[in-house]
Amino acid sequence: MSTPVDATVTGPASAGPAGPEANRISHPLRPGRWLAAGVIALILAWLAWTIAINPNLHWDIVVKYQFDRVILEGLWVTVQLTVASMAIGVVLGVIVALMQVSDSRILRAGAMAYVWFFRGTPLLVQLIFWFNIALIFPEVGLGVPFDGPKLVTWETNTLVTGFVAALLGLSINEGAYMSEIVRAGLRAVDPGQQEAAAALGMSRLKIMKRVVLPQAMRIIVPPTGNQFISMLKTTSLVSVIAGADLLTVAQRLYLTNFEVIALLIVASLWYLVLTTVASIGQYYLERRFSRGFGATVPGALRGRIARNLRFTGSAR
């Protein structure tokens, strides 16, 4: 009677350990990397310690105002401005992007002029312009165009408050950027799929809804999420027109108590919180629209939050 052969002791595997030990990858020692990591950790620890014990930062003032009613009201205005501006900007962006890919030259020219103008002028200039629109049009109303009779009129200053001016400036400017993002997403879909859907008898609206948009969303969502993160910080520009946002109320407070740095730290901490929450939402939204196009990269959430927390320059 022959003895069964043990597969674990035959062949090349018998030369070393079997199981997980055999698959373990040997990493060479890199003393330079460990030294650099140690230096950076030491610098970060020194910075944290210096900031923590610095009496000029007035951490007690920071704690006092972090959940102050006025600060929270400004925080709420910032959230409102961000969400509303992005919603209007996305709608404008989709409309302008569809105009850009249409067969009408007039629509394409109008879309190009919109994108050219609002991407070509600084956002700060646009905000100041909208806040002072009453200098050009003291009254607005409804009626017959070309100096015809007016049915109803309003004073512009009563309609365009600081919040409305901020909303107009942010959303219209955002629409120009979003139109390019949406257009890129639409262009990325293979035209052959649209032709195949048309050959099956689908209408243009149904092709757009069932074929183009589901695939374009995978490309549109990541930069849109990035725009949302950027908008959170860009809202701080409305402080120049007294938009009552988070930075504006912080400025008003430190003009009365002269705690400039402490109030700026309070505002910065809230911006970091908002950015972190938005980054997490962006991560899960991207993962949802990327289903079927590959697995999520491990550590992607941490990397996205870190990238969004970096200062990217709010003024565009």
Side-chain angles (χ1 to χ4, degrees), residues 39 56 165 203-204 246 254 300:
V39 171
N56 296 323
S203 64
R204 295 192 63 175
L246 177 58
Y254 70 61

Side-chain angles (χ1 to χ4, degrees), residues 219-234:
I219 299 171
I220 293 172
V221 166
T224 302
N226 195 48
Q227 289 294 107
F228 187 87
I229 300 293
S230 179
M231 180 65 77
L232 273 172
K233 294 174 283 189
T234 305

Side-chain angles (χ1 to χ4, degrees), residues 43-54:
I43 293 174
L44 292 176
W46 174 76
L47 283 175
W49 179 77
T50 303
I51 293 172
I53 66 166
N54 193 327

Side-chain angles (χ1 to χ4, degrees), residues 1 27 36 38-39 89 96 108 167 181 185 218 241 255 291 302:
M1 184 175 179
H27 296 283
V39 171
V96 175
R108 290 203 305 271
L167 186 61
I181 294 173
R218 184 176 60 90
I241 59 173
L255 287 175
R291 288 179 301 182
R302 294 193 300 273

Side-chain angles (χ1 to χ4, degrees), residues 284-297:
Y284 285 106
L285 194 61
E286 284 184 26
R287 195 172 71 169
R288 175 179 176 79
F289 282 100
S290 299
R291 288 179 301 182
F293 291 92
T296 305
V297 178

Side-chain angles (χ1 to χ4, degrees), residues 87-167:
I88 298 173
V90 168
V91 173
L92 287 175
V94 172
I95 293 173
V96 175
L98 292 176
M99 290 170 62
Q100 288 179 311
V101 299
S102 77
D103 297 330
S104 171
R105 292 183 179 180
I106 297 177
L107 291 180
R108 290 203 305 271
M112 289 176 60
Y114 171 80
V115 174
W116 166 77
F117 182 81
F118 287 103
R119 287 203 310 173
T121 52
L123 177 57
L124 188 59
V125 174
Q126 296 178 36
L127 290 172
I128 296 174
F129 175 83
W130 285 112
F131 189 63
N132 294 281
I133 191 67
L135 298 176
I136 305 174
F137 304 106
E139 290 184 343
V140 294
L142 297 175
V144 180
F146 302 106
D147 292 333
K150 296 289 189 300
L151 300 176
V152 60
T153 59
W154 299 276
E155 290 187 4
T156 304
N157 277 331
T158 60
L159 290 180
V160 186
T161 61
F163 183 86
V164 174
L167 186 61

Side-chain angles (χ1 to χ4, degrees), residues 179-258:
S179 66
E180 292 298 284
I181 294 173
V182 175
R183 185 175 66 87
L186 296 178
R187 292 294 190 192
V189 180
D190 187 0
Q193 298 188 26
Q194 302 180 49
E195 295 172 0
L200 293 175
M202 296 176 68
S203 64
R204 295 192 63 175
L205 180 62
K206 188 174 289 184
I207 292 173
M208 181 63 68
K209 182 179 178 182
R210 297 190 176 181
V211 178
V212 177
L213 282 181
Q215 299 183 68
M217 286 299 291
R218 184 176 60 90
I219 299 171
I220 293 172
V221 166
T224 302
N226 195 48
Q227 289 294 107
F228 187 87
I229 300 293
S230 179
M231 180 65 77
L232 273 172
K233 294 174 283 189
T234 305
T235 55
S236 62
L237 288 179
V238 306
S239 61
V240 298
I241 59 173
D245 68 309
L246 177 58
L247 182 59
T248 303
V249 298
Q251 289 176 330
R252 288 173 181 170
L253 287 173
Y254 70 61
L255 287 175
T256 58
N257 60 14
F258 304 106

